[in-house]
Amino acid sequence: MIANCIIAAVIAVAAVGITIGIVYTASPVAVATDESCRNVGSLTQLRLLPIGDGFAVTWTAPTHSGQCNFTYDVHIYTNDEQIQEDNTDSTYYAVNGVLKPCSTLKAGIRVIHGTEYHGSMITTEYSTAIGDISSISIDNGLATWLGNTDLDNCKFQVKLNDDIVQSGQESATYDLASVTPCMLHEITVTPIHFNGTLGEPLTRTFEKEIPTVQDFRIFEENGDLVANWEHFHENCDISVRVGDKFHIYQDVVEATQILDSAHFTYCESNDVAIEFVSKSGQTGSTISYAFERALIIPNDLRLTQSSNSIIIVWNPTAYLACAVEITIDEAPAMHATPSDGVIVADIMTFEYCSEHQVNIVFTPLSQSPPAEKILPFTKTPEFPNDLDMETNKDTIRITWTDTRFEQCSCEIILDETTIIPTNPSRGDVEYDTSDLNHCTNHNVEIRFSDSTGENKVSERLHFPPTLRQASRR
């Protein structure tokens, strides 16, 4: 095919001497001028296609590009930040390693002829998917999250319980310094695309690391054992273990707590372990503290009497480490077994109705001062075992030989009205009964009592009438 040609025919007719011939002459090819190249249209069909971890940009050249010497000014942007600028004479341009979640990619292409730009820049955009958060870890007071893919281009919204506490930040961490310890919290992290679209949230329930009790001490105040420490944590309970006994003090309202004194013993150092406890039962680091109580006499220490003995008793639980001894008047000291919580002392030889003193001493194993108490008692009188009454015609005689009644008061009452003068130290009383009615029974009541009159003993004796012959006048 011959296009744009002019045909010239020369005919030669052989028979008559005429010759005919055909000559082909091509018309001149149209050469693009600078002016025509400057007036071409813009490039078309600009597309951005993801490939691997990058993308390719393709476009269709302007009209007459085959006759014009065009190049292209290429600008590549990630999230509105230009990352690359280049010139190319191809209608294909590739960029590697920039395809990341939460990104908006943009390519801008402009035509160049010679040294001049032609037309405005043509742009196209592509938004990548929003990355997914795969895990949230809590460590050393910091929440950190990771994604299934690179989240470097994502921003994040952080919600703590019901409150949004951070939004639009690029850091994949959140400082939990303001979070209250010892209670459960929920943290929800949502990725945010560069274009503002929210991705799928991930929620984790956590407890902030439980703090350690600091500057703990125990002191005694108004008879109570009081614990005190630094830094009050509103939702933290506190566990106090003393030996094999422990107690969790709940709903603590300040950095001080009255302790259960029954868990502490006397006369030795108490090893105390203290830790904060969360509402879920998790515990913080344990600290140790040694505490020795100031020794006091047991509150329930009491003295009772039985026949010819005294009994001293107390609850021994808190005093098992103490040495215990008692001294009565000037008698040699008696040692007690602490675990028994009881001492029985024989007072048979002690005088009735007289006051005696028991000195009881609790001594610690350490060099701490002992505790002692004096318990006075008055021996309650009993009846003399050899008390005897003899009656005859005109007298009655009452005798005893026990000398332990010298400190007692003694009354002998005849027929509930007549008081017979008595000296207890003599133990021998004789009384004239010649004026008594000889035909009736008579009663004699003998009373021994101490100086207070509160401790006394009495016994009633009887003697029959003594018959006499009536005198004649």
Side-chain angles (χ1 to χ4, degrees):
M1 177 179 180
I2 300 175
N4 299 323
C5 293
I6 300 175
I7 304 176
V10 178
I11 302 174
V13 180
V16 290
I18 300 173
T19 301
I20 301 175
I22 300 175
V23 178
Y24 295 90
T25 303
S27 62
V29 176
V31 178
T33 65
D34 287 344
E35 183 65 27
S36 64
C37 287
R38 281 196 292 268
N39 293 327
V40 298
S42 300
L43 57 88
T44 58
Q45 298 184 17
L46 178 60
R47 292 183 298 171
L48 191 155
L49 304 173
I51 300 176
D53 64 350
F55 63 87
V57 184
T58 66
W59 61 91
T60 300
T63 308
H64 296 303
S65 61
Q67 289 77 38
C68 299
N69 185 21
F70 287 129
T71 57
Y72 302 95
D73 181 27
V74 180
H75 294 257
I76 305 299
Y77 301 86
T78 297
N79 293 345
D80 288 346
E81 179 183 351
Q82 180 172 293
I83 62 171
Q84 203 161 325
E85 182 179 1
D86 202 359
N87 287 341
T88 180
D89 57 5
S90 173
T91 57
Y92 177 93
Y93 193 86
V95 181
N96 296 320
V98 295
L99 200 65
K100 297 181 179 182
C102 301
S103 300
T104 296
L105 308 174
K106 184 169 74 172
I109 312 295
R110 189 160 49 175
V111 180
I112 303 175
H113 176 249
T115 59
E116 298 181 9
Y117 293 108
H118 293 273
S120 60
M121 181 176 287
I122 306 301
T123 62
T124 186
E125 290 186 356
Y126 175 82
S127 291
T128 62
I130 303 176
D132 291 330
I133 298 174
S134 58
S135 64
I136 302 174
S137 61
I138 309 294
D139 189 35
N140 293 325
L142 197 67
T144 305
W145 48 92
L146 299 172
N148 294 323
T149 56
D150 186 355
L151 299 178
D152 286 351
N153 287 339
C154 298
K155 296 183 179 181
F156 304 97
Q157 179 194 87
V158 180
K159 181 187 256 187
L160 190 62
N161 299 323
D162 295 326
D163 300 321
I164 296 176
V165 293
Q166 181 174 289
S167 185
Q169 304 298 315
E170 296 180 355
S171 173
T173 60
Y174 179 73
D175 190 346
L176 301 172
S178 62
V179 176
T180 304
C182 298
M183 64 181 298
L184 290 175
H185 299 274
E186 275 190 353
I187 185 171
T188 301
V189 181
T190 306
I192 306 175
H193 198 282
F194 176 75
N195 61 20
T197 304
L198 296 179
E200 288 297 321
L202 180 66
T203 299
R204 173 181 170 173
T205 300
F206 73 98
E207 262 188 25
K208 185 178 179 181
E209 184 178 3
I210 299 174
T212 300
V213 181
Q214 295 182 355
D215 294 335
F216 184 87
R217 67 190 185 100
I218 299 176
F219 58 92
E220 299 188 56
E221 183 177 74
N222 299 326
D224 293 323
L225 292 182
V226 181
N228 178 264
W229 60 93
E230 204 174 288
H231 303 309
F232 170 62
H233 298 285
E234 181 178 359
N235 294 294
C236 295
D237 299 330
I238 187 164
S239 168
V240 178
R241 182 183 297 273
V242 185
D244 60 352
K245 304 181 182 69
F246 80 97
H247 186 87
I248 296 178
Y249 298 92
Q250 298 177 327
D251 302 322
V252 179
V253 297
E254 56 184 340
T256 186
Q257 176 66 44
I258 296 177
L259 304 179
D260 186 349
S261 59
H263 292 173
F264 293 79
T265 57
Y266 292 99
C267 298
E268 62 181 349
S269 178
N270 292 268
D271 295 326
V272 185
I274 311 99
E275 57 200 7
F276 282 127
V277 183
S278 72
K279 298 303 181 184
S280 66
Q282 301 299 314
T283 59
S285 299
T286 303
I287 67 167
S288 298
Y289 185 83
F291 174 73
E292 184 173 347
R293 298 185 68 177
L295 181 56
I296 61 172
I297 293 293
N299 292 330
D300 59 351
L301 183 73
R302 64 187 187 276
L303 182 150
T304 60
Q305 287 190 57
S306 66
S307 180
N308 290 315
S309 64
I310 57 170
I311 304 172
I312 302 171
V313 294
W314 66 94
N315 184 343
T317 304
Y319 293 87
L320 297 179
C322 301
V324 185
E325 67 177 22
I326 67 168
T327 303
I328 305 176
D329 294 341
E330 303 300 326
M334 299 175 56
H335 297 276
T337 302
S339 59
D340 292 344
V342 60
I343 299 177
V344 179
D346 185 358
I347 57 171
M348 177 173 286
T349 61
F350 288 57
E351 290 186 345
Y352 294 109
C353 303
S354 62
E355 187 175 282
H356 304 274
Q357 287 189 342
V358 177
N359 188 31
I360 183 166
V361 180
F362 289 80
T363 304
L365 300 177
S366 65
Q367 299 300 316
S368 300
E372 60 181 309
K373 186 174 184 178
I374 295 177
L375 301 173
F377 74 95
T378 300
K379 186 175 179 182
T380 303
E382 299 179 358
F383 259 91
N385 293 329
D386 61 349
L387 182 70
D388 183 53
M389 184 175 69
E390 176 186 340
T391 62
N392 54 36
K393 181 178 178 181
D394 292 319
T395 61
I396 59 171
R397 186 181 180 191
I398 301 170
T399 60
W400 65 91
T401 61
D402 196 334
T403 60
R404 294 174 296 171
F405 291 87
E406 291 185 0
Q407 301 299 320
C408 298
S409 297
C410 181
E411 291 181 322
I412 300 177
I413 303 172
L414 179 61
D415 290 339
E416 299 183 2
T417 57
T418 304
I419 298 177
I420 303 174
T422 308
N423 183 350
S425 62
R426 287 181 53 196
D428 188 347
V429 179
E430 188 174 11
Y431 185 71
D432 185 358
T433 59
S434 59
D435 293 336
L436 297 182
N437 189 326
H438 294 278
C439 295
T440 60
N441 284 323
H442 300 280
N443 297 316
V444 175
E445 182 180 357
I446 304 174
R447 298 176 184 171
F448 291 95
S449 62
D450 61 14
S451 58
T452 65
E454 296 178 359
N455 300 309
K456 59 186 176 180
V457 64
S458 64
E459 185 168 332
R460 190 179 293 269
L461 305 176
H462 307 278
F463 62 92
T466 301
L467 296 180
R468 298 177 179 172
Q469 183 178 358
S471 61
R472 294 183 180 178
R473 294 185 178 271

